[in-house]
Amino acid sequence: MTGLFITMEGVEGSGKSTQIWRLAERLNNAGYPLLVSKEPGGTKLGAELRRLLLAHHESGEVWSPEAELLLFYADRAQHVATVIRPALAEDKLVLVDRFEDSSWAYQGAKGVSDAKLGHLKEVVLDGFKPDLTLILDMDPIQSLMRVEARNRGLGASFQETRFDQEALEYHQKVRLRFLEIARKDPGRVVLIQAQGAVEDVETAIWQAVSGFLHRRGFKGI
């Protein structure tokens, strides 16, 4: 495979959805062959799993962190096999909203041990990982205020996810785990401060990505 695999991560409300499409537009304008996807939901199976994972459960049943994790990995296994690897084999730049690091941050913050996470990662991914990961960092107090404002603006047309409704303490743990990922893997991960203006965050992301592409010799038109 000669393409490049870039992921974007961050806490709820950090602006990933906005920034990933702004980045995609810049990459398209620069002439890079591009595929944009997301987890969960980047395949037909993933769309069904996304509905299960993010929706509220009418039964009120509380899922174990391990059960939740296994569903995310079912989505990831299908996504890698049928979307990401084929696109990389076609020399495309693959841009994905959330990947492996989200499992380490979110399910790890719920108490799944690093040993379990590492074992499942090895079974499903077998060493496969992004070439570059951008983590949008933001204080969860601020990011959750963004989520609340967004939900009010969308009104009845928008449904909060189960993760939106988690306690602040949980989101703070998620952030700390993302920061730990960045500290341990500086060769792959770039930390982007996401609390500023959308345009300033976009510029910081583009500087990181364009510099990386230049160093790797992956050229557009």
Side-chain angles (χ1 to χ4, degrees), residues 9 28 50 70 84 88 105 119 124 158 166-167 199:
E9 303 277 7
N28 272 322
R50 183 181 182 88
L70 287 169
I84 297 174
L88 292 174
H119 178 67
V124 173
F158 188 85
E166 292 280 359
E199 293 77 12

Side-chain angles (χ1 to χ4, degrees), residues 27 41 86 104 106 190 209 212:
L27 291 167
W104 282 78
Y106 280 84
V190 176
V209 172
F212 171 78

Side-chain angles (χ1 to χ4, degrees), residues 29-65:
N29 290 340
Y32 290 99
L34 183 66
L35 179 130
V36 183
S37 192
K38 65 182 178 182
E39 287 195 359
T43 64
K44 290 182 179 179
L45 172 62
E48 289 299 309
L49 292 171
R50 183 181 182 88
R51 181 183 59 79
L52 286 171
L53 283 161
L54 301 186
H56 303 287
H57 303 304
E58 294 181 1
S59 67
E61 180 181 23
V62 177
W63 291 7
S64 74

Side-chain angles (χ1 to χ4, degrees), residues 3 15 27 69 72 102 120 133 141 188 192 198 204 214:
L27 291 167
L69 178 67
F72 275 111
S102 278
L120 195 53
T133 295
I141 293 176
R188 173 178 66 90
I192 303 290
V198 172
H214 177 74

